[in-house]
């Protein structure tokens, strides 16, 4: 892409971004569902990453996930990851990333990059994805190809739910549970520590693949409402899962 085109593209995206929360939401959902890393959409003016709007109101997931938790989680925690990612990027040796400050490139080179970038780029990506994987009146079961693949891989949706819940419960300390689609196209359940994710090129990330479903099990995701009871939070979370986003991720990720 020549510079003029890329500039035009960039301006167009920036304008769309300022058009409001609903538009940003649909762009984010569409980008994730299309299997894009969507980072070019996240970059706003000045080449900095910015906090995407929550795709629904803070209280939209009540009574399953409470308003105050959503406010603090999005406005404080997620915002801090974005701000600290921008700061960390300033310290990176230009030779490592070149001009491609994309999530794909960052996650691929993660071992050579500063720990602050690993934590905060992971935090920004994971949370952006997490918001689009929840919605009011969500839950139930997936449909179509994803439903078929879950059944053939885990025998039943109930068995999948049990194994995913188990992975989320067993993650010691802070981290995430994931359903991923591996390079071979196989569905697998895994979990990662801190803000690592299955896209990161790290030996400690045991199962790599494209995220289809993501669950934040940091205490900041549930402590205000559920205190130490992670199991209650996970049980509530199944009621707000946005299976349409998950189906989109499954169908389009290579
Ligand atoms: Mn979190």
């Amino acid at each position: 892409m020549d510079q003029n085109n890329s500039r035009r593209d960039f301006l167009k995206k920036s304008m769309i971004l300022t058009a409001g929360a609903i538009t940003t939401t649909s762009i984010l959902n569409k980008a994730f569902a299309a299997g894009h890393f969507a980072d070019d959409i996240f970059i706003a003016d000045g080449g900095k990453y910015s906090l995407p709007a929550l795709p629904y109101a803070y209280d939209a997931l009540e009574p399953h996930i409470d308003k105050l938790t959503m406010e603090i989680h999005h406005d404080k925690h997620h915002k801090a990851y974005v701000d600290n990612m921008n700061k960390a990027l300033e310290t990176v040796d230009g030779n490592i990333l070149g001009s491609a400050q994309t999530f794909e490139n960052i996650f691929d080179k993660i071992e050579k990059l500063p720990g602050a970038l690993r934590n905060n780029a992971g935090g920004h990506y994971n949370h952006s994805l997490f918001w689009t994987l929840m919605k009011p009146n969500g839950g139930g079961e997936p449909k179509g190809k994803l439903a078929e693949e879950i059944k053939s891989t885990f025998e039943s949706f109930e068995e999948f739910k049990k194994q995913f819940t188990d992975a989320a419960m067993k993650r010691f300390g802070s981290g995430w549970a994931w359903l991923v689609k591996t390079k071979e196209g196989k569905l697998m359940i895994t979990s990662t520590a801190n803000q690592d994710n299955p896209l990161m090129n790290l030996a400690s990330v045991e199962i790599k693949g494209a995220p289809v479903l993501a669950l934040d099990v940091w205490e900041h995701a549930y402590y205000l409402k559920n205190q130490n009871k992670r199991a209650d939070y996970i049980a509530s979370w199944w009621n707000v899962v946005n299976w349409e986003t998950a189906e989109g991720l499954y169908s389009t990720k290579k």
Side-chain angles (χ1 to χ4, degrees):
M1 191 183 291
D2 73 37
Q3 227 170 1
N4 279 339
N5 271 340
S6 133
R7 174 78 188 152
R8 209 159 38 231
D9 215 8
F10 172 78
L11 285 173
K12 203 167 74 193
K13 279 167 185 161
S14 303
M15 282 190 294
I16 292 168
L17 262 181
T18 55
I22 291 164
T23 313
T24 311
T25 299
S26 61
I27 293 167
L28 264 179
N29 275 318
K30 217 168 115 188
F32 276 121
H36 299 147
F37 284 88
D39 47 343
D40 55 338
I41 291 161
F42 291 160
I43 295 177
D45 275 332
K48 298 274 187 195
Y49 282 82
S50 60
L51 181 67
L54 201 64
Y56 30 73
Y58 296 110
D59 62 357
L61 305 180
E62 294 260 14
H64 310 293
I65 298 180
D66 63 292
K67 184 184 177 196
L68 187 60
T69 295
M70 290 303 291
E71 262 175 25
I72 296 173
H73 201 173
H74 178 270
D75 295 6
K76 308 288 186 203
H77 290 280
H78 189 174
K79 184 174 189 303
Y81 295 122
V82 176
D83 293 345
N84 291 323
M85 179 184 183
N86 285 325
K87 275 185 214 156
L89 276 169
E90 287 170 14
T91 71
V92 171
D93 175 354
N95 295 324
I96 300 175
L97 288 176
S99 58
Q101 289 189 356
T102 61
F103 280 114
E104 188 169 23
N105 195 26
I106 290 168
F107 293 158
D108 185 49
K109 312 261 169 65
I110 204 78
E111 210 146 24
K112 297 181 196 127
L113 293 164
L117 189 58
R118 171 173 167 182
N119 292 334
N120 292 294
H124 182 23
Y125 182 88
N126 296 348
H127 286 85
S128 299
L129 183 62
F130 185 50
W131 309 136
T132 69
L133 281 163
M134 297 189 287
K135 66 169 192 175
N137 305 311
E141 295 188 23
K143 299 186 190 84
K145 274 187 188 157
L146 177 58
E148 281 168 32
E149 198 56 31
I150 283 176
K151 274 179 197 134
S152 77
T153 308
F154 304 100
E155 292 191 354
S156 67
F157 179 74
E158 283 313 308
E159 181 56 27
F160 155 73
K161 203 169 154 180
K162 194 169 146 262
Q163 289 184 29
F164 188 93
T165 299
D166 204 42
M169 285 301 295
K170 284 185 179 153
R171 167 49 52 191
F172 183 75
S174 298
W176 291 75
W178 305 92
L179 175 67
V180 301
K181 186 179 179 183
T182 66
K183 258 197 322 225
E184 294 75 30
K186 199 171 147 44
L187 279 182
M188 292 184 86
I189 291 167
T190 189
S191 81
T192 55
N194 304 313
Q195 294 297 350
D196 289 352
N197 69 44
L199 295 163
M200 290 182 177
N201 190 6
L202 292 166
S204 59
V205 172
E206 290 160 29
I207 294 173
K208 295 178 178 69
V212 173
L213 198 59
L215 172 58
D216 186 344
V217 295
W218 282 56
E219 281 188 345
H220 69 223
Y222 61 90
Y223 202 85
L224 290 176
K225 182 174 161 73
N226 304 111
Q227 292 81 48
N228 60 320
K229 298 180 285 288
R230 188 186 284 184
D232 291 357
Y233 158 70
I234 298 169
S236 293
W237 174 78
W238 286 111
N239 296 311
V240 295
V241 172
N242 185 340
W243 284 112
E244 288 77 28
T245 302
E247 284 155 17
L249 290 167
Y250 175 73
S251 306
T252 52
K253 286 279 185 185
K254 295 285 177 296

